[in-house]
Amino acid sequence: MGDGVGVWIGVGVGVGVRVGVDDGDAEAVTLGEGVGVGDTASSADEVGVPGDAPTGLHGEDGTCFNRGMTVVSPVPVPGPVPGESVLTESDASLLFGGARTAYTFTDEPVTDAQLQAIHELAKWAPTAVNAQPLRVVAVRSPAARERLLPCLPRGNREQAAGAPLTLVCAADQSFAESLPRLHPRAERYQRLLDDGGSDMRARWARTSALIQAAYVIQAIRAVGLAAGPMNGDDAEALAAEFFAGQDVEVLLVINAGHPGPDAYQERNPRLSFDEVYQVL
């Protein structure tokens, strides 16, 4: 893509995939509602998908309080919550229908406790053979942000420059080294991955790390913050800058923080069930 063009991506819950070997040991994993692109963005020709509602704790009148911070009006669910859902309407709005991609943020910092809480929630994502290949660099200091911005398309730099926290998310393709303390049949899967070669390792790492990144987006929402996921277009530059010497593929970056003025755009349409699913 040329200068001034950025792509915003979003991952949530709803597409089933199976990763592993066909012997009962494979992990059945579920991706989220809307893996792909959605909301049309601004003059930078960015494409957005649901980001994050700034909602946190809820008062009796439905007003949302960001963990005791500024009072924020709740974002309404754009449609009825399915009766089969076990979530309350407030929960469904916080995590799904009311969640939006944030394009601006206040300068209120994301605390160490909030960042740790994001991990504690997101770490339960299902991954192939429990490999957990996601690796994250949390860009928070001004010096680190100066290193980040040149690695992003011009159309995405403004959002990252204004965010108090940006997570650079990558898939560790050497994840098999950690398997002995993560899976009871580690040696078996290490041999399988050795036989399958680099293509198999990259495929497993990418699939599982994307699922984990989806959980990170949801965890950001769950701690009352807003998220702005963006495609890591220059993955090689990001890897060289933040994962030097590591065998990783950078997948995306996620801005996080408290939403700023005019943080959200109008909701764009979503595909219907029949357009997405084929039931056999």
Side-chain angles (χ1 to χ4, degrees):
M1 293 184 179
D3 289 342
V5 178
V7 177
W8 286 68
I9 68 173
V11 234
V13 284
V15 179
V17 298
R18 183 167 289 277
V19 182
V21 293
D22 192 17
D23 63 358
D25 290 326
E27 296 254 2
V29 294
T30 302
L31 292 176
E33 181 193 338
V35 176
V37 296
D39 297 343
T40 301
S42 60
S43 57
D45 293 327
E46 296 159 347
V47 181
V49 294
D52 261 318
T55 51
L57 304 179
H58 298 263
E60 292 182 358
D61 60 355
T63 301
C64 297
F65 299 87
N66 263 334
R67 305 289 175 189
M69 303 298 180
T70 307
V71 176
V72 180
S73 297
V75 180
V77 178
V81 176
E84 292 77 10
S85 173
V86 298
L87 299 177
T88 66
E89 186 167 317
S90 294
D91 292 337
S93 178
L94 177 68
L95 297 175
F96 298 104
R100 309 297 299 279
T101 292
Y103 292 86
T104 68
F105 299 87
T106 70
D107 58 4
E108 183 176 344
V110 175
T111 66
D112 290 341
Q114 288 171 318
L115 183 57
Q116 181 73 29
I118 289 167
H119 171 70
E120 292 301 321
L121 291 170
K123 71 182 182 181
W124 303 112
T127 58
V129 297
N130 199 38
Q132 304 168 59
L134 180 67
R135 302 292 180 265
V136 181
V137 170
V139 175
R140 189 160 58 179
S141 70
R145 195 160 301 282
E146 287 301 313
R147 294 166 54 197
L148 170 68
L149 296 181
C151 300
L152 301 177
R154 288 186 181 180
N156 287 346
R157 290 176 192 171
E158 182 178 356
Q159 288 86 355
L165 177 71
T166 300
L167 306 179
V168 183
C169 301
D172 182 5
Q173 298 180 7
S174 62
F175 65 88
E177 297 173 6
S178 300
L179 287 182
R181 60 191 180 90
L182 298 175
H183 199 285
R185 292 176 293 282
E187 291 185 7
R188 173 184 180 182
Y189 287 113
Q190 286 176 319
R191 290 195 299 271
L192 176 68
L193 288 162
D194 285 342
D195 292 342
S198 59
D199 287 347
M200 175 182 281
R201 290 194 299 273
R203 186 168 59 252
W204 282 32
R206 192 172 206 277
T207 301
S208 290
L210 281 171
I211 295 167
Q212 290 181 276
Y215 270 61
V216 169
I217 293 171
Q218 298 295 69
I220 291 170
R221 298 171 177 174
V223 300
L225 298 174
M230 304 187 298
N231 198 42
D233 283 326
D234 197 342
E236 291 184 1
L238 287 165
E241 189 63 48
F242 295 105
F243 298 92
Q246 301 179 53
D247 186 15
V248 305
E249 177 192 4
V250 173
L251 303 173
L252 71 159
V253 298
I254 307 170
N255 296 321
H258 296 270
D262 302 319
Y264 305 113
Q265 298 181 2
E266 292 296 322
R267 174 75 79 193
N268 281 331
R270 294 298 189 266
L271 296 175
S272 69
F273 175 86
D274 290 338
E275 293 175 288
V276 176
Y277 286 81
Q278 181 182 12
V279 181
L280 303 178

